[in-house]
Amino acid sequence: MINLDKTIIKALRAATRIAVLTGAGVSAESGIPTFRDKQTGLWENFDAAALATPDAFERDPTLVWGWYEWRRGLVLSAQPNAGHRAIVAMTDYVPNFTLITQNVDDLHERAGSTKVIHLHGELLKPYCESCRRPHSLAEGIPNSPPGGARREPPRCQSCGARIRPGVVWFGESLPQDQWTAAREAARHCDFFICCGTSALVQPAASLVDIAIDAGATAVQINPNPADADDSVTFTLRGPAGTVLPRLVAATWNSDKRRGPAC
């Protein structure tokens, strides 16, 4: 049973600047496996974290590109869940709302969120590893390559170099503009929600502390214990797809909408 303390409802209803950070758990509810999940099919003998590095792409580009094409297929086959939709609903009631995600899929956008801050890049936006020119992928779900998991990366139409996945790999820096915007949102919000993330991956995890240090009410939503549980104002134990819709309904169900978010 999810305990929606009246203090949470009161603080959320009074908030005018809300920031939400989502992690892999939110996408997992739509069927997209996290890096901690056991891989399936052709990929069951591979470590996901070991494939998500610049060194892995340099060492075996066909293997890494094939894995990301498999993940792209999962994303294109998935649908936004109730957690994604509840986040969109919040924007109708809050004058200033910022959505920050560690996820590389487009499920937030497909649910209706706009101006999403993607800290770890976007899987559907690959680019040239040399000149960084964006690359357009063929529409539709990619077919499995003949002969197994490997797939040759496409080449840049401008300089001929390899196209790489549009994600931030382990060991790479976050996109500076996205990271700056995320920190500013955390620093100036009066209510911060962290959901579907263990709050272990830095520097994204530090956003919770930035918000708390600035005086915001901070809520952690996760089905399992997380490091942030000890520092946030409230912990709501459960999946985002269950907790967020109940939180939105309990807070604004009888309220008039305040108008579109800024």
Side-chain angles (χ1 to χ4, degrees):
M1 183 68 177
I2 301 167
N3 179 26
L4 293 180
D5 190 290
K6 291 182 179 180
T7 309
I8 303 176
I9 305 303
K10 183 178 179 180
L12 185 55
R13 187 177 288 140
T16 59
R17 302 178 73 91
I18 293 177
V20 175
L21 171 66
T22 65
V26 176
S27 293
E29 292 183 56
S30 288
I32 300 175
T34 71
F35 273 26
R36 294 184 177 186
D37 293 335
K38 181 175 175 57
Q39 305 300 293
T40 59
L42 294 169
W43 301 101
E44 64 182 355
N45 295 320
F46 292 91
D47 176 8
L51 293 172
T53 69
D55 288 344
F57 189 59
E58 185 63 32
R59 184 172 58 252
D60 201 338
T62 62
L63 181 67
V64 173
W65 185 262
W67 184 67
Y68 276 98
E69 282 292 89
W70 173 72
R71 288 190 68 86
R72 183 166 72 93
L74 291 179
V75 167
L76 293 173
S77 301
Q79 296 298 322
N81 60 58
H84 295 106
R85 294 190 292 271
I87 290 171
V88 176
M90 282 188 194
T91 66
D92 288 336
Y93 302 102
V94 184
N96 192 299
F97 186 93
T98 303
L99 174 56
I100 308 159
T101 187
Q102 295 171 280
N103 300 331
V104 298
D105 55 66
D106 66 340
L107 293 179
H108 281 303
E109 286 85 351
R110 279 196 269 151
S113 291
T114 60
K115 299 180 180 178
V116 182
I117 297 174
H118 281 272
L119 292 181
H120 294 163
E122 297 181 66
L123 181 61
L124 304 185
K125 294 184 178 181
Y127 59 89
C128 174
E129 66 176 353
S130 179
C131 70
R132 302 187 72 84
R133 176 178 174 169
H135 178 80
S136 297
L137 295 165
E139 293 186 6
I141 299 173
N143 296 320
S144 298
R150 296 177 180 275
R151 187 187 289 264
E152 190 69 35
R155 293 283 171 171
C156 176
Q157 294 180 355
S158 178
C159 72
R162 288 180 306 207
I163 299 300
R164 57 158 285 171
V167 301
V168 177
W169 279 324
F170 291 111
E172 293 183 325
S173 300
L174 302 188
Q176 190 58 49
D177 55 343
Q178 304 283 298
W179 178 233
T180 298
R183 284 186 302 171
E184 286 300 299
R187 187 175 293 116
H188 294 107
C189 71
D190 47 23
F191 200 101
F192 189 93
I193 300 174
C194 178
C195 55
T197 172
S198 59
L200 291 174
V201 178
Q202 295 290 354
S206 67
L207 293 172
V208 183
D209 294 326
I210 291 173
I212 292 171
D213 290 344
T217 299
V219 174
Q220 168 82 8
I221 299 173
N222 209 311
N224 303 308
D227 278 10
D229 289 350
D230 294 332
S231 55
V232 295
T233 319
F234 299 100
T235 296
L236 298 177
R237 190 73 69 224
T242 300
V243 178
L244 283 173
R246 289 193 58 188
L247 186 60
V248 171
T251 304
W252 293 293
N253 194 38
S254 60
D255 286 3
K256 280 190 173 183
R257 297 189 174 190
R258 303 183 191 177
C262 297

